[in-house]
Amino acid sequence: MTDSNFKHILPVDDNGYYGHFGGSYVPEILHANVERLKETFYRYADDEEFNEEFRQLLHDYVGRPSPLYHARRLSEHHGAKIYLKREDLNHTGAHKINNAIGSVLLARRMGKKNIIAETGAGQHGVATATVCALAGLDCIVFMGATDVARQQPNVERMRMLGATVIPVQSGNKTLKDATNEAIRHWCCHPDSFYVIGSTVGPHPYPEMVARFQSVISEEIKQQLMEKEGRENPDYIVACVGGGSNAAGAFYHFIDRPEVKLVVAEAAGLGIDSGMTAATIKRGREGIIHGARTLVMQPPDGQIVEPYSISAGLDYPGIGPLHAFLAESGRSEVLAVTDSEALKAAIRLTRTEGIIPALESAHALGALDQLDLKPDDIVVVNLSGRGDKDMATYIQHI
Ligand SMILES: *Cc1c(COP(=O)(O)O)cnc(C)c1O
C-alpha cells in the first residue's frame, strides 16, 4: 500500500518543519498533549489494523473511491482534458470527512471521550459531528458568529447530529476566531481531543491531516492509470484555505516534478484591495495557531482580518506545507477573486450540471489563468458541493 511510505514523501523533518515553516508553538499546558498525539499518530500511521478500519469506513461509510470524472464540456471550454476529482460526492459533501474519520479513530485509541473542533463554512464541523455520532463521542464545535449566520443549514445539521455549536463573538467572528476559541478551550480541558479541520496547527497536525487526506491522490493515480494509461497528470489544481484538500490531492505527486501543482487562494475583492484572504501572496512569516508560517499581518504583528466570499477560505494563515511548496517554487500560486469564483461556479453548473462549493469554485476559476494546451491532462480537486452556499449564490446571480 502506497501510504506505508508516507513519511518519506512529505518534505517534513522530525520536528515538523517544512523548510523553515511549521514546528510546534503551543502553550506549556498543551505540550504534553501534543507530544502524546504525536506518539500515537506515528504508532498507528503504519498500523495494519488501524489502516484497515480507516479504509473500511472510507469505503463503506464515505463512499470512496470518489469518481474521477472527465468533464467533457468544461474541457471544451478550456481547451484541455479536464478531470474532476469528485470529493463533493463524499458523505457530508466535502473532503473534510476523510480527516474527521482518521482523527476520531485515533482519539478512540487514546481513550478520549470529548471531541472539540473549529469550523468556518461548517463542513468540518458537520464532518466531525457526524463521525462523533458514529463513534458515540461528545462533540463541541466552535464557529464564528458571522459564519453561524451565513451557514445556517450546516449549524442545524451539527445540532441534529447531537453536537454543541458555540458561536464565537471575538474578532471578525469567523474561522480564525473559532480556532482561537477552540485552542483556548483545549487549554482548559486538555483531556479533550482537538480535531483540526485543515493542514494547520502545531506538529503533528499538518502532517497527520495531509496523511489522512492523501487517499485523494492515491486514488487519482489509480484512476488516471485506468483512464489514460498514465499515473501522472500535467496539472493538479486545488483551492487552499488551510490547505488540506490540496495537500491530499498533491500528496503522491509532490516528488514528481513533471506534475505541476497549482493552488488557488481566495483573492476576495483583489489582492491589493485590503479585502482578501490571499495569504501566500500577501502574507509574511509569523506564528499562527501553533505553527510558523505565512500570515497576513501588518508591521506591528497583529493579524489582518481576512476576507473572502467563501467561509471555508476566509483564513489569514496557510498550512506550513503550502508555505514551503510555494516558497521553493514547487507549487504555483494563483489568486482568484470572488467574482471570478462565482463565474466559474456558474460555468460548471451550466456545462456539467454540478453545483460546486464556493471554495472549489476558486480552483475552477484558476483554470482561466493557466496556459493550457489541448493535450494537457488537468485534474481539478472538486473539494465539496454547493448546497451549503445556495444562499450566497442566489444573492449574487
Ligand atoms: C474547508 C473547505 C475547504 C478549505 O479547506 P482546505 O483545508 O484548504 O482544504 C475547501 N473546500 C471545501 C469544500 C471545504 O469545505
Side-chain angles (χ1 to χ4, degrees):
M1 197 169 283
T2 22
D3 58 314
S4 60
N5 59 353
F6 76 95
K7 275 185 229 164
H8 312 297
I9 292 176
L10 276 191
V12 60
D13 72 15
D14 290 344
N15 297 315
Y17 280 92
Y18 306 75
H20 51 107
F21 299 114
S24 174
Y25 298 81
V26 295
E28 196 52 39
I29 190 162
L30 288 179
H31 185 75
N33 251 28
V34 171
E35 279 303 305
R36 210 180 139 223
L37 174 65
K38 198 163 82 183
E39 282 159 24
T40 311
F41 165 59
Y42 284 125
R43 180 154 117 234
Y44 287 107
D46 285 326
D47 182 79
E48 217 166 287
E49 196 194 309
F50 178 86
N51 281 300
E52 185 52 38
E53 192 180 0
F54 182 47
R55 292 296 151 144
Q56 200 72 50
L57 282 170
L58 289 181
H59 185 269
D60 298 342
Y61 189 73
V62 176
R64 303 203 73 91
S66 66
L68 186 70
Y69 166 68
H70 175 204
R72 287 182 177 76
R73 295 190 63 213
L74 189 70
S75 295
E76 244 166 65
H77 174 85
H78 286 291
K81 195 161 188 184
I82 297 174
Y83 284 95
L84 304 176
K85 181 59 174 163
R86 299 290 310 274
E87 293 299 297
D88 61 314
L89 294 179
N90 292 341
H91 181 43
T92 71
H95 66 290
K96 298 281 193 338
I97 189 94
N98 304 325
N99 169 52
I101 288 181
S103 298
V104 168
L105 289 183
L106 268 191
R108 243 190 5 207
R109 277 166 176 73
M110 293 172 80
K112 304 277 189 179
K113 304 253 180 311
N114 300 296
I115 302 293
I116 61 171
E118 85 296 335
T119 199
Q123 286 303 114
H124 175 57
V126 167
T128 306
T130 297
V131 184
C132 284
L134 177 70
L137 300 176
D138 277 351
C139 181
I140 301 177
V141 179
F142 296 90
M143 187 171 190
T146 305
D147 292 335
V148 169
R150 64 178 165 171
Q151 305 286 340
Q152 200 58 37
N154 272 345
V155 176
E156 300 307 338
R157 287 163 84 194
M158 287 185 268
R159 291 191 170 136
M160 183 162 174
L161 287 158
T164 305
V165 179
I166 301 189
V168 174
Q169 303 292 349
S170 56
N172 232 13
K173 305 173 192 179
T174 60
L175 182 54
K176 159 181 71 69
D177 315 293
T179 309
N180 286 339
E181 203 53 39
I183 292 174
R184 224 170 273 143
H185 179 95
W186 195 24
C187 287
C188 304
H189 305 83
D191 49 333
S192 299
F193 186 100
Y194 182 16
V195 179
I196 294 186
S198 191
T199 43
V200 300
H203 180 59
Y205 279 107
E207 181 179 353
M208 187 172 94
V209 176
R211 190 264 165 160
F212 290 143
Q213 293 292 358
S214 69
V215 62
I216 299 172
S217 50
E218 193 180 310
E219 290 174 5
I220 292 173
K221 267 182 183 284
Q222 288 164 4
Q223 291 166 322
L224 262 190
M225 182 51 98
E226 280 162 27
K227 289 174 196 295
E228 295 287 341
R230 56 187 257 204
E231 282 188 339
N232 298 329
D234 296 294
Y235 293 87
I236 302 185
V237 187
C239 65
V240 284
S244 69
N245 86 86
F250 292 174
Y251 198 96
H252 291 285
F253 301 105
I254 288 173
D255 60 353
R256 296 296 148 92
E258 68 270 33
V259 181
K260 297 186 190 76
L261 308 177
V262 179
V263 301
E265 56 177 9
L269 302 185
I271 59 171
D272 298 319
S273 66
M275 295 281 282
T276 184
T279 311
I280 303 178
K281 290 209 186 284
R282 273 286 159 265
R284 295 188 301 116
E285 206 170 315
I287 290 170
I288 185 169
H289 299 140
R292 175 171 289 280
T293 186
L294 295 173
V295 186
M296 293 208 301
Q297 51 186 351
D300 68 0
Q302 290 297 308
I303 307 275
V304 176
E305 296 294 351
Y307 164 79
S308 166
I309 192 172
S310 150
L313 303 181
D314 200 351
Y315 184 69
I318 178 75
L321 167 66
H322 290 292
F324 173 76
L325 293 177
E327 191 186 70
S328 64
R330 179 65 190 92
S331 70
E332 181 180 359
V333 182
L334 301 174
V336 176
T337 63
D338 287 0
S339 63
E340 289 165 342
L342 283 169
K343 208 170 112 195
I346 295 165
R347 182 185 298 139
L348 184 74
T349 305
R350 298 287 164 84
T351 55
E352 299 289 345
I354 298 169
I355 302 177
L358 263 169
E359 293 83 3
S360 320
H362 286 73
L364 295 160
L367 293 173
D368 290 321
Q369 298 181 36
L370 294 173
D371 182 22
L372 299 175
K373 299 183 186 59
D375 287 341
D376 284 338
I377 293 178
V378 182
V379 175
V380 179
N381 198 36
L382 202 67
S383 53
R385 65 177 88 127
D387 309 28
K388 69 181 174 59
D389 298 312
M390 284 315 297
T392 310
Y393 283 141
I394 290 162
Q395 230 176 12
H396 286 89
I397 292 168

